[in-house]
Amino acid sequence: MTKLIVGLGNPGDEHEEDRHNAGFWFVDALAKQLSARFESEKRFHGKVAKAKWEGEDVYLLKPSTYMNLSGQAVGALCRFHKITPENILVVQDELDLKPGTARLKLGGGTGGHNGLKDIQAHIGTPEYWRLRLGIGHPRDLAGDGRPMDVADYVLRRPQLAEQKLINASIENGLQILSLFLKGDTQTAMQELHSKG
């Protein structure tokens, strides 16, 4: 069964270290683990890497459409390779989870995440898997009392301590991926969610 793992983020060097690019960081780490190389694919509006996992095809995708139009890339690749929604894993940054926390779930709302909204619009259902990597919320930052705008926050680089926590949650996500890919999603969720 062909699987697609999509990392959400914004293209370009200026965004590489933004919190909003946590999904890209995850699929980059996964590609390295699988010895897969990303190539630009115009027809899929992004960079695609193909790998084998236990004899099955796994596609990794980094849309180059900017976050809010991520569905364009996901829809095009899924139609071409006939990948069904339950075989899609979208890896995204999550404001409502603290850095260091990762959660796996099937379906649900978009939580105002424009990348998820666009994917849902293009594949016609919210019933796809999400791996949510916590980046924290600007309201949690101790500051001068004025909350930072969410858009500014996600488009900035995390502080070093936060980055270490996000890296740890990416590592935790990678560790349960083999369970996820073989369809043992319950165990994958239990293991991941027990890590904090």
Side-chain angles (χ1 to χ4, degrees), residues 165-184:
L165 289 168
I166 295 168
N167 291 348
S169 68
I170 287 172
E171 191 49 49
N172 290 339
L174 290 170
Q175 283 172 6
I176 58 101
L177 203 58
S178 63
L179 286 166
F180 174 82
L181 287 171
K182 69 177 181 215
D184 191 355

